[in-house]
Amino acid sequence: MTTTIASAEKTAEWWRGAVIYQIYPRSFQDANGDGIGDLAGITQRLDHIASLGADAIWISPFFTSPMKDFGYDVSDYCDVDAMFGTLRDFDDLTSRARELGLKVLIDLVLSHTSDQHPWFAESRASRENPKSDWYVWADAKPDGTPPNNWMSLFGGSSWQWDSRRQQYYLHNFLSSQPDLNFHCDEVKQELLSVARFWLNRGVNGFRLDTINFYTHDAELRDNPALPPEKRVANTAPSVNPYIWQDHLYDKSRPENLEFLRELRAVMEPYDAAAVGEVGDDQRGLEILGQYTRGNDLMHMCYAFELLAGDTPSADYVKTTMDLVDRVASDGWACWAFSNHDVVRHPTRWKLEDEGIRCFNVMMMCLRGSVCLYQGEELGLYEADVAYEDLQDPYGIQFWPEFKGRDGCRTPMVWEAHNPHAGFGTGGDERPWLPVSGSQAAKAVDLQENVPTSTLNHYRRSVALRQDHPVLKRGTQTPLSAEGSVLSFTREGEGETLFCAFNLSGDEAELTLPAGTWTSVAEGLQGAVVPEGKTVKLPGWGYAVLAKEGE
C-alpha cells in the first residue's frame, strides 16, 4: 500500500522538475497556408517536441481575440479564434499529445480582457448594470486627471477615460485591455468556471499570465517613487518610466492569495498544475515563494532573474539561488532563459554554441522545473525585424531604443530550403512576421542527423534530467561560486550528483569534494571526465558527476 501511495503522489506531482516546451502558436506551424500558425500545425509538429523528451507543452493564447496584443487580449475565454482553428482542432491536439505522453498547459490571461469582450461592453454601458463593477472603474480627480499615478507597462498612464460612464478604467497593459476587478466575487467565480471548462476538455493545467497583477489596491493609493539606483530593467525596458515606481499598490496585493487558493481547489481533482508568471523587479522571487508555498496555492512560478539582463556570472547565479533559498525555500521555481516576451538568450547574453550548451545543462541540473522556448533547442539568435515589419505595439511605442518582442516571435524554422523554412505549405501567403534567413540556417532538418548539433545536445541534456530523478526532485546544496565556476550538489532518489559549470570562455580549475566520482554526462559536448581530484574545465566546460556507492 505504501508503494502505491508513493507512486500516486509522484503521478500527481508530474510537474515537479518537469521540462515544459513553450509554443507560440502564431509562429510554430501554419497548416492552412494563411501565413499564421495554427492548432492543426502544432499537432503536425508534436513529434518534434516528444523527440526532445519534454514532459509537457505550454501553448500561448489561442482564444477568440481582436489580436491587439496577439491573443493576450481575450474576447471569449471558451472558444478558439478562427485564425487558429476550432475547438475540434484543439481536441485533436490534446488527443495526439496524450498519445505521445505530453501534458498540455494552456495560457490563461485572467487579469484583463479585450475591450471587445461582451463583459466589458456591458460594464461600460452604465454605472448600474449587472456587470458595472466587473472592471476597475474610478472617478477622476477634481481637476479631471486620473485617479492616481499608476502607469501602464506599455507606456503612459494605466487609466483610460470612458465617455459613457464618465469614469476612468484601469489597464495595466494596452488601453484596449481593461483590467478585471478581482474585488468582485462574481468575476472570480466566472474565471474559475473558465478554468473548469478547459480542465473538463482535457488540459493538464495552465500557464497564468501576469499572475501577480490580478488584484489591485481597493483604496487606489499612489505608488511611491523608486530611487534611480534601485531601478531594474527586467520586466520593462530602461526607456520605460514604468520602472521609476515601486509597484506596491497596482499589483502583488495580499488579497491575490485568496483567489489562488480557490483556483488550486478547482484544479486539484484533475491532478492539474499551474505555472505563474511573476512580473516584479523588486520582489519577484519573494512573490514566487509566497505564491508556491504549501499545498494550497500555485504549483510553480517563474520570475525574470534569468529572463533578462547580461550574461549571468557564477556569482549572479549563486546570489539568485541563495535568495530563492531565503524567500522561497518551501516553494517551487520554474526556470527559463527565453520566452515570447524577451530577447532570445543567445543574443541577450552574447553566447556562442559552447555557452549555449553550458547554460542549457546548468538549467537541467538546477532545482526547479524548466521551460524551453520554441527554437531554443536549435540555438536560435534573436531575429532582426525591420521597423516596417513590426507588429508588436510595445516595440512600435518605444522604437528604436526598444524594438519590442517581434524578434523572438518570428516563425519556427523547420526545413531550410523549403518556402518560409517549412513554416507553411508551398503556396502560402507571406508569414505574419518574416522568416529570418540567419535562423533558417539553423533549421531542424539541418541539425536532425548531425550528432554534434545543438538540437541533439538539447535532446541529450533533457535525457540527462529524465534519467536522473534526483535532478527533478532532489535537494540542492547551497551554490558555490569560485571565480567563473559555479558548483552544487543534488541529493535524493538514491543518488548524489555533483554539478560544476565554467560560466566563462577561459579555462578554470576545480577540486572535487570527497568521494569517488564518475561522469554521467559523457555524451554531452563540453562535459569533462575527471582525472583524480582536480578537474580542469575548458571555457564553457562543465562536469556532472555521480558519487560511487550510492
Side-chain angles (χ1 to χ4, degrees):
M1 180 63 72
T2 302
T3 302
T4 304
I5 293 173
S7 177
E9 287 176 351
K10 282 189 177 180
T11 300
E13 290 204 335
W14 61 265
W15 51 271
R16 195 177 291 278
V19 177
I20 304 165
Y21 185 96
Q22 182 194 355
I23 297 170
Y24 193 70
R26 294 179 72 93
S27 299
F28 198 60
Q29 179 66 59
D30 173 15
N32 64 4
D34 65 355
I36 299 172
D38 43 48
L39 295 180
I42 294 173
T43 304
Q44 291 176 14
R45 297 292 189 178
L46 285 177
D47 290 78
H48 168 76
I49 301 170
S51 79
L52 290 172
D55 298 286
I57 57 173
W58 146 28
I59 310 174
S60 288
F62 50 82
F63 314 108
T64 306
S65 166
M67 300 294 164
K68 298 290 181 61
D69 191 24
F70 305 106
Y72 285 91
D73 49 328
V74 179
S75 57
D76 186 343
Y77 281 108
C78 297
D79 203 359
V80 174
D81 193 280
M83 74 166 54
F84 296 127
T86 64
L87 283 169
R88 175 62 184 272
D89 291 326
F90 180 78
D91 293 340
D92 290 343
L93 189 162
T94 56
S95 177
R96 179 58 181 152
R98 279 193 297 272
E99 292 174 1
L100 294 170
L102 292 168
K103 307 285 188 183
V104 177
L105 308 182
I106 64 170
D107 207 330
L108 277 190
V109 188
L110 302 181
S111 69
H112 53 267
T113 71
S114 164
D115 61 358
Q116 296 183 33
H117 198 295
W119 298 347
F120 188 69
E122 183 173 350
S123 186
R124 78 190 315 182
S126 70
R127 299 192 187 193
E128 291 81 29
N129 69 80
K131 290 185 173 59
S132 61
D133 64 345
W134 277 41
Y135 292 81
V136 184
W137 295 96
D139 291 330
K141 288 181 177 178
D143 62 359
T145 55
N148 59 30
N149 69 348
W150 297 353
M151 302 191 74
S152 163
L153 197 67
F154 284 0
S157 171
S158 62
W159 295 98
Q160 178 69 31
W161 179 252
D162 184 81
S163 58
R164 300 170 208 184
R165 287 186 48 146
Q166 296 284 291
Q167 285 183 306
Y168 284 96
Y169 66 83
L170 179 69
H171 62 93
N172 276 300
F173 300 93
L174 295 175
S175 60
S176 57
Q177 294 172 296
D179 272 57
L180 287 162
N181 180 14
F182 277 72
H183 294 288
C184 173
D185 191 62
E186 288 180 334
V187 168
K188 293 189 289 185
Q189 295 309 311
E190 190 66 32
L191 294 176
L192 294 175
S193 294
V194 168
R196 288 189 192 94
F197 173 86
W198 291 105
L199 290 167
N200 288 330
R201 204 154 196 111
V203 305
N204 304 105
F206 309 107
R207 181 265 188 179
L208 298 171
D209 183 63
T210 59
I211 190 174
N212 59 313
F213 282 73
Y214 293 169
T215 308
H216 67 285
D217 174 45
E219 298 178 38
L220 303 183
R221 287 171 283 186
D222 280 345
N223 284 326
L226 196 64
E229 64 273 13
K230 292 188 177 181
R231 297 172 189 167
V232 179
N234 281 350
T235 58
S238 58
V239 295
N240 189 345
Y242 183 86
I243 69 171
W244 293 16
Q245 291 186 358
D246 192 1
H247 293 271
L248 296 180
Y249 299 114
D250 53 347
K251 62 184 181 183
S252 309
R253 300 300 300 158
E255 302 94 326
N256 208 24
L257 296 173
E258 300 170 12
F259 176 75
L260 297 183
R261 288 191 176 94
E262 293 181 70
L263 179 58
R264 176 65 178 260
V266 167
M267 297 172 65
E268 203 69 9
Y270 299 87
D271 287 338
V275 52
E277 175 198 29
V278 175
D280 190 285
D281 288 333
Q282 276 65 52
R283 292 168 291 276
L285 292 176
E286 182 180 342
I287 296 166
L288 181 156
Q290 291 173 353
Y291 286 12
T292 61
R293 185 174 297 136
N295 296 315
D296 64 344
L297 291 164
M298 293 298 95
H299 306 76
M300 309 169 276
C301 280
Y302 70 83
F304 282 75
E305 275 67 18
L306 295 178
L307 275 167
D310 299 325
T311 313
S313 65
D315 281 333
Y316 178 82
V317 178
K318 171 181 166 52
T319 299
T320 299
M321 298 304 159
D322 286 349
L323 183 56
V324 171
D325 287 343
R326 283 202 307 276
V327 300
S329 60
D330 53 354
W332 196 259
C334 186
W335 300 112
F337 297 153
S338 290
N339 68 19
H340 65 294
D341 278 334
V342 300
V343 173
R344 287 183 178 273
H345 72 275
T347 297
R348 202 171 69 240
W349 295 345
K350 302 178 178 63
L351 299 177
E352 301 293 338
D353 286 350
E354 295 82 359
I356 293 171
R357 291 166 179 160
C358 178
F359 273 110
N360 169 239
V361 178
M362 183 193 81
M363 181 162 61
M364 292 299 163
C365 291
L366 286 172
R367 182 177 184 268
S369 298
V370 169
C371 273
L372 303 178
Y373 179 51
Q374 65 181 50
E376 178 180 341
E377 72 276 19
L378 305 178
L380 296 188
Y381 294 88
E382 185 85 348
D384 187 19
V385 179
Y387 179 79
E388 56 268 24
D389 291 322
L390 284 188
Q391 303 292 324
D392 183 13
Y394 202 3
I396 294 169
Q397 170 78 5
F398 289 104
W399 178 276
E401 288 77 16
F402 173 66
K403 296 183 179 181
R405 302 163 295 178
D406 288 329
C408 66
R409 296 177 175 184
T410 53
M412 181 72 171
V413 288
W414 299 102
E415 295 103 21
H417 302 296
N418 283 346
H420 312 307
F423 171 63
T425 56
D428 60 352
E429 295 184 12
R430 185 174 183 266
W432 75 287
L433 281 173
V435 173
S436 164
S438 61
Q439 290 186 347
K442 294 177 177 285
V444 172
D445 68 334
L446 297 182
Q447 298 197 38
E448 184 70 49
N449 298 314
V450 179
T452 57
S453 69
T454 302
L455 171 59
N456 282 307
H457 172 86
Y458 265 71
R459 285 171 173 154
R460 288 189 289 269
S461 71
V462 173
L464 175 71
R465 188 175 182 88
Q466 303 290 18
D467 291 344
H468 296 275
V470 62
L471 294 178
K472 303 187 80 170
R473 296 182 291 271
T475 61
Q476 179 173 288
T477 59
L479 275 61
S480 171
E482 297 183 17
S484 63
V485 177
L486 181 80
S487 63
F488 52 90
T489 300
R490 301 295 308 275
E491 295 179 322
E493 305 289 328
E495 191 172 25
T496 298
L497 295 185
F498 176 71
C499 310
F501 303 88
N502 180 8
L503 302 185
S504 81
D506 300 323
E507 185 179 272
E509 197 169 270
L510 173 72
T511 301
L512 294 177
T516 303
W517 301 90
T518 304
S519 176
V520 295
E522 296 94 332
L524 287 164
Q525 290 169 271
V528 173
V529 178
E531 295 181 7
K533 293 295 182 183
T534 301
V535 179
K536 290 187 176 180
L537 295 173
W540 303 109
Y542 52 88
V544 184
L545 312 173
K547 194 171 188 178
E548 292 186 8
E550 295 190 16

